[in-house]
Amino acid sequence: MADPATPSGVTEIKVRENGPYRVQGPFRMVDADGAEFDVGEEGSVVALCRCGGSTTKPFCDGTHSRAGFKAAERAVAAQDRP
């Protein structure tokens, strides 16, 4: 189901606190060989692993919770970046 806060046709990538990247909206994802991943219907929500521990990479399988993954997920203004 589409998030009413996300405008139609816009892809949103949300960083979940100590969790995966949540991707919603129209997008195409391909592997290093150019094969396309099945990411469901347009507008589906997909969670992508960022802890590195998932057994279903690039998708999240919840391992971050068991592994105690901690990350910085707050946006930093461009002028404040190193």
Side-chain angles (χ1 to χ4, degrees):
M1 183 173 168
D3 182 342
T6 303
S8 179
V10 173
T11 300
E12 177 181 74
I13 302 173
K14 183 174 185 175
V15 181
R16 303 285 310 273
E17 184 141 358
N18 298 321
Y21 293 113
R22 179 187 180 276
V23 183
Q24 182 175 9
F27 70 97
R28 182 174 173 255
M29 193 165 84
V30 296
D31 68 14
D33 296 324
E36 191 166 341
F37 285 94
D38 178 8
V39 293
E41 295 180 29
E42 186 174 313
S44 297
V45 175
V46 175
L48 299 177
C49 176
R50 67 183 179 127
C51 76
S54 176
T55 59
T56 60
K57 285 188 216 88
F59 304 102
C60 176
D61 68 358
T63 297
H64 61 275
S65 296
R66 294 183 298 281
F69 177 69
K70 302 285 184 212
E73 52 269 308
R74 301 300 183 260
V76 177
Q79 69 270 14
D80 295 337
R81 294 182 193 149

